[in-house]
Amino acid sequence: MKRKPLQVTICLFLYFCLAGQAPGREIIIGTGVEGGFYHQAGRAICRLVNKQILDTDCRAIATTGSLHNLSNLRIGALDFALVQSDWLYHAIHGTGPIAFMGASFDNLRAVFSFHNESFTLVVRRDSGIRQLADLPGHRVNIGNPGSSDRAAMQVIMQAMGWDKNDFLLAAELNSAEQSLALCHDRIQAILYRVEHPNPLVARAIGLCDATLAPLSGPEIDKTVANKPYYEYTRIPGGIYEGVPDPVPSFGVRLTMVTSANVDPVIVRQVVAAVFENLAAFRQMHGAFGLLNPATMTHEGLSAPLHNGARDYY
C-alpha cells in the first residue's frame, strides 16, 4: 500500500518526460499581418515542412513585416522569416531605414527567393494617363504617411524628380479607402507594390473601369541600375480583366531568410521540403504559379546563402 505514491510519481515522471519529447523540433517562421499574403505563404511552407520532416512543429506567426522579422532573426527569436529583398539589402549594408538602428545584421543568411513584387500603377481608363510620365497634373493617391503605399510612391517620386505639388491632388488615403475613391473618380491613379495576381488590383480594375499603366523609361532604368535590390519585371497579361498583354515594370523579390546560427541540417531540410514539393507549392497560391527553382536559388538574394541551402543546391 505504501508503494503506490512512489509508483504514481514514477509514472508521472515518465509521462512528462515522454510528453516533452513528443512535439519534437520547433521551427518558427515570421511572416506578415494576420491573413495577409506573407502569412499565407509562411503557412504554405509550414504545411510542406510538417508533412515531410518527422517530429517537427513548423509554425508561421503573424508579424508587422520585414523590419520586425529582420530584428527578430538577428537576436534568434525567429528561425526563418519572409523579407523583401530591399529590406534585406539595407539590413546587410546598414543603409536606408536600417541605418539609424546602429545594429549589426551580419548573421543574416538567404535561403531562397520567391516571386517578384512589382510596382503596379492602376489608373482610370478615362483619366488620360497612359504611362508613368503622365501622372503630374492628375489626382493621385500617394498613400498615408508611414504606409507601404506611401513608401512605394516615394520611390517613384524620387526617381522622377516629383513632389506633391506636381499633382492636381496628392491624396493620403489608406489601402481600404483608395479603391472606392478611384471608382468615384475622386482620384485617378493608385500605386501598389504587390505580388500578382493580387485581389486588391483585381478589385480596382474590375469595379472602377481601370487598367494598368507601364512603369518604364530612363528614370526607371537609372533607379534599377543604381539599386541592386531592384529588377525589371513584367506583370503577366490575361490575369486581370481588360489587360491582355504583359505590362513592364520593376520591383523587388520576396525572400526566405534565416540566421547563420540556425543548424545547416534544419535549413537543408526546409529547402528540401519546398523544392521537392514545388508542384504542390505552386498550387497553394496564384503568385507561386511561375516559381522556377533555377532562379529561386540566386535571383533577388541580398544576403549570402546559408550553408545548409548551399549544400542542398
Side-chain angles (χ1 to χ4, degrees), residues 207-310:
L207 297 179
C208 308
D209 192 26
T211 188
L212 300 181
L215 293 177
S216 57
E219 297 88 354
I220 299 303
D221 291 338
K222 183 178 180 180
T223 298
V224 173
N226 291 339
K227 308 292 185 183
Y229 41 83
Y230 287 140
E231 58 186 46
Y232 293 109
T233 67
R234 293 178 74 81
I235 302 169
I239 62 175
Y240 298 116
E241 180 181 345
V243 188
D245 301 318
V247 179
S249 185
F250 73 107
V252 297
R253 281 189 182 250
L254 177 62
T255 58
M256 179 80 152
V257 186
T258 187
S259 163
N261 301 324
V262 175
D263 187 343
V265 174
I266 295 176
V267 176
R268 193 181 195 285
Q269 289 178 331
V270 169
V271 173
V274 174
F275 277 66
E276 292 172 12
N277 296 280
L278 199 55
F281 190 64
R282 290 191 185 107
Q283 296 177 4
M284 292 178 178
H285 193 283
F288 300 154
L290 298 178
L291 289 181
N292 182 350
T295 59
M296 293 170 69
T297 60
H298 63 280
E299 290 189 4
L301 300 182
S302 302
L305 270 176
H306 191 284
N307 289 337
R310 183 180 291 108

Side-chain angles (χ1 to χ4, degrees), residues 141-157 164 170-173 191:
N141 183 47
I142 64 172
N144 58 318
S147 70
S148 58
D149 294 334
R150 182 63 161 264
M153 182 55 79
Q154 286 175 332
V155 170
I156 296 297
M157 291 169 66
K164 292 192 293 184
E172 298 184 336
L173 305 174
L191 184 75

Side-chain angles (χ1 to χ4, degrees), residues 62-111:
T63 72
T64 55
S66 292
L67 181 57
H68 175 281
N69 292 344
L70 290 167
S71 298
N72 282 276
L73 274 176
R74 185 180 69 86
I75 63 174
L78 294 172
D79 301 304
F80 296 88
L82 303 184
V83 176
Q84 293 160 329
S85 57
D86 53 344
W87 278 98
L88 181 56
Y89 178 92
H90 289 312
I92 291 294
H93 294 86
T95 56
I98 301 290
F100 78 93
M101 297 180 64
S104 173
F105 289 83
D106 292 344
N107 64 335
L108 297 179
R109 295 293 181 270
V111 181

